[in-house]
Amino acid sequence: MIKNFNRIENLILEIKSEKESASITNNRYPIRFIFLNDFEDLIKVVNLISKLNTKTFEISSILGDENLWITRDEIIEKIRRESKDGNLLVVGLSEYLRFSNKEDFFIIMQTLTGIENSNNFSRRIFIPLIGLWERFHNNFWDKFYRKEEWAPVWRLESSKNVKNISIYHIKFPFSENIKLDGFYYLKNNRDLLELWKRRGVSKIISFNNVIDYFHENFLPDQIFNLTIIENFKDFLEIIFNVRIPFNYYEGESLYWKKLLKFYVEKKVNNVEDIFKEMYNINDITLLKTVDFLKIFLEEREEFKKWFLKNYFLSKNKYENTYFFICLKNLKKLDGDSLLKNIWFKIFDFDVNFNPDENNVHLFEERKKLLFFMRDNFWNYNLDMIENKIGKFLKKIESQDFQIKSFYLTNITKTERKFIVESVKKGNIEEISQILLDLYPELFHYLNWRSLSLDEKLDKWVVDYFYFYNLSKVLNKKLNAVDKIVSEKNRSIESFSHWYYSFEGIINFMENTDDIIWIDSLGAEWFPLLIYFLEKFGRDKGIFIEKKYLNRANVPTTTKCNKKDTKKIEELDLHIHSQLYKYPDSLIEEIEIIKKIAKKIVELTETQKEIISDHGFTYLCIPQFGHFKRLDFSKSDHEGRCMKLQFENYQNDDYFIIWKSDEGSCNGEKYIAALKHFSLNRTPSREVHGGATPEEVLVPHIILKKQESEIYYTISPEEFEVYITNPYIDFEINPEPLSFPEAFIDNSPLIVEKISQNKFGINLKDKDTGNYSIQINVGNKKYILKVKIIGGMEEEEYF
């Protein structure tokens, strides 16, 4: 029979009085099940019953090794043995039964209820059970055939709210060193069987092997809820109620373990807080993809890179970014692997695909990421990229220049070679705006047409060097070059005419700290050098005060054009140590000019004067048809000149007899090559010593430090133009010290100089709409507003 009680005192009174019962059934069967719903009640019952001449037996005492389990037969046999001399209180059986299967549960109950008193009819075996009433009732009592003829079953119905206990069983390698407030750690089987002794426990972390093996037998009851936690992610989400929005993979368990440790130590609330705390960031919403790249590259700990990757991929706002594609396909958490993805994943797109408004942002973002790495992580593995990018560029080889420009960055030498070779296949005038944006150094190398000097140049000089430089880019000698050099150097008289129209550079070679002599810097490099000097000097207040073209002495050798002045030799050393190779030589020389210009700006404190001793030419090599025609075996500088002693030679179509009238060679007589045919064997490198314009003419630039801030005004500031003629012109006052730059959304525009302080921009590649053009003058920035409208500009007829 079942007896219910709502107070412990009444239950104890029943226990005492029942011992005196005359009922044959009660005295025959000593087992008394006492069902409770609270550990506090259990402890009180145990304490009270133990005072009633009753021996206490704990199931945990059967354990030998605390990590081994016990069998049902061991339990029953031990209860029989311990109770043979009198009353027995069995404690801890609940936790054994809780993880027993239905069969074992029934057999244990049935065996215990079958124990009989043979001599001592007042003997009682008290078995308090916690939270197992429903299972007892459903799995045993309803099937128990003697339930109406058996001793009483006592049930204490607590008047207070029952405290549920949650057991979280860990099925992964959890570190016990991670301490969680408010949790009891259930480490072994003894802990499980003695759980009843723990007061106030409501949350349990279990590493117990019994629960691990037998948790499928567990059924939720009035007290216990069992949750199996398979991995670290489940642990974070279940224990801390924090949602981790990315998937768990077993191979990443070490990272998850560190994430759990980090979460517990930092006491954060959610995954956003984890990210903020991990990277010391206040506002995540402000982060752009380049910020995530910066964090990844600066981070040394692989775990934190893993977290950044997964956090970023979990944010929907970044799903349509190029960095998302790169991180999603990142197999290794190292900078080189990410670098390769950023460089090369773009080439996985269909090679025939046309960038449009729906996807062009991916190309633009890729460039921003790569430029950021170039500017901020100078030591990253660019050699690896150089070795690989060539095969990817072959995929876009057949595309037009504009499509190619979306893929290209001008960061690697391989790309620059590809750009130069692509320019060779296109129309330079049509692609000039794209070239300015993509490879501004090459654009300015060719920008002779916009060059403005302090002394007006004859048109032939500008034309010659424009076509000379263009020939070098196209890797062919243009007819215009041959035509001009044939006219200007057809004889000693025609040569002398233009030669003496320029002032000799030797007159400016003073041995002062202000003079900077750049060996071999010919006029070929004038527009590019000006571009670099203004670019590097802009933020430092360095400007070009004067710029001229001067002439070197013939022969154009350092010996005949030097004084005791310190010089920069990198360019000269380069041409003398390298065979000419297209387009490598051009690209390498552009980089040398860039380094020299940067160095000069850094050296300029108040003023610097840049001069050179001579230029050099690439057009003498066999590729351009200049095979051996002359046989001056004693010629110098690879056949460009030869000193005469007593020989008596006459001027020729290919050379002149020249008596030096200045410098250290004053009074000496030389033969100098007049055109691109040399005096002996054909050279295989860039050479100097002859009398061609590129060997003779050299830049002369005066740099100064700006003494005070200059504020400019630009007028007008707003424009409305028709798309059929989208040209704007504006004035800058006072006249700017450096050439202005113009940008739309960081993309440069070609600026034309109309007069001293008037400039123009052609927006022919822009659609209708409103544009903001940033004008940079020195270190100042100004904005022009332009509206391009449709239709045609009306002409006034009256």
Side-chain angles (χ1 to χ4, degrees), residues 460 464-465 468 477 481-482 484-486 488-489 495 498-499 522-524 550-556 614-620 626 640 654-656 672-678 687-698:
W460 78 266
Y464 180 81
F465 281 102
Y468 174 87
K477 189 177 184 181
V481 174
D482 255 344
I484 294 172
V485 81
S486 295
K488 297 299 176 181
N489 282 14
F495 169 77
W498 71 261
Y499 176 81
E524 169 191 354
N550 292 142
R551 60 172 171 80
N553 287 325
V554 174
T556 50
H614 55 77
F616 56 84
T617 182
Y618 69 94
L619 284 176
C620 298
H626 300 123
R640 297 304 294 162
Y654 296 108
F655 59 84
I656 55 175
L674 197 56
K675 297 182 177 67
H676 294 116
F677 290 98
S678 293
V687 291
H688 61 87
T692 62
E694 63 269 28
E695 294 171 280
V696 170
L697 296 179
V698 293

Side-chain angles (χ1 to χ4, degrees), residues 107 137 222 249 267 330 348 547 659 718 728 769 776 791:
I107 291 173
H137 195 275
Q222 292 92 331
Y249 299 104
K267 296 181 170 60
L330 187 64
D348 287 349
K547 46 186 180 290
K659 186 176 181 180
E718 296 185 2
I728 65 171
N776 294 346

Side-chain angles (χ1 to χ4, degrees), residues 638-760:
E638 301 200 40
R640 297 304 294 162
C641 59
M642 185 178 78
K643 186 176 180 180
L644 296 176
Q645 298 293 336
F646 306 106
E647 300 91 341
N648 188 19
Y649 293 104
Q650 300 297 317
N651 292 309
D652 186 85
D653 288 344
Y654 296 108
F655 59 84
I656 55 175
I657 310 303
W658 191 262
K659 186 176 181 180
S660 182
D661 54 6
E662 290 178 308
S664 56
C665 295
N666 190 10
E668 296 178 358
K669 190 181 288 189
Y670 288 86
I671 295 180
L674 197 56
K675 297 182 177 67
H676 294 116
F677 290 98
S678 293
L679 303 177
N680 192 15
R681 285 181 300 215
T682 303
S684 56
R685 68 185 84 241
E686 292 173 290
V687 291
H688 61 87
T692 62
E694 63 269 28
E695 294 171 280
V696 170
L697 296 179
V698 293
H700 179 194
I701 299 172
I702 299 175
L703 279 183
K704 274 198 173 181
K705 177 82 171 178
Q706 191 174 309
E707 294 179 357
S708 59
E709 287 285 332
I710 300 177
Y711 295 91
Y712 298 94
T713 59
I714 300 182
S715 62
E717 296 180 343
E718 296 185 2
F719 301 84
E720 184 172 284
V721 294
Y722 288 92
I723 195 167
T724 53
N725 184 28
Y727 189 87
I728 65 171
D729 58 69
F730 51 92
E731 289 187 358
I732 303 176
N733 289 298
E735 182 184 349
L737 296 178
S738 59
F739 200 84
E741 294 180 312
F743 299 87
I744 291 181
D745 295 332
N746 295 319
S747 293
L749 301 172
I750 297 175
V751 180
E752 301 170 342
K753 187 168 185 177
I754 301 171
S755 62
Q756 280 189 326
N757 64 338
K758 193 170 184 178
F759 302 87

Side-chain angles (χ1 to χ4, degrees), residues 124 288 423 546:
R124 297 291 184 265
K288 297 180 174 60
V423 168
K546 299 288 183 181

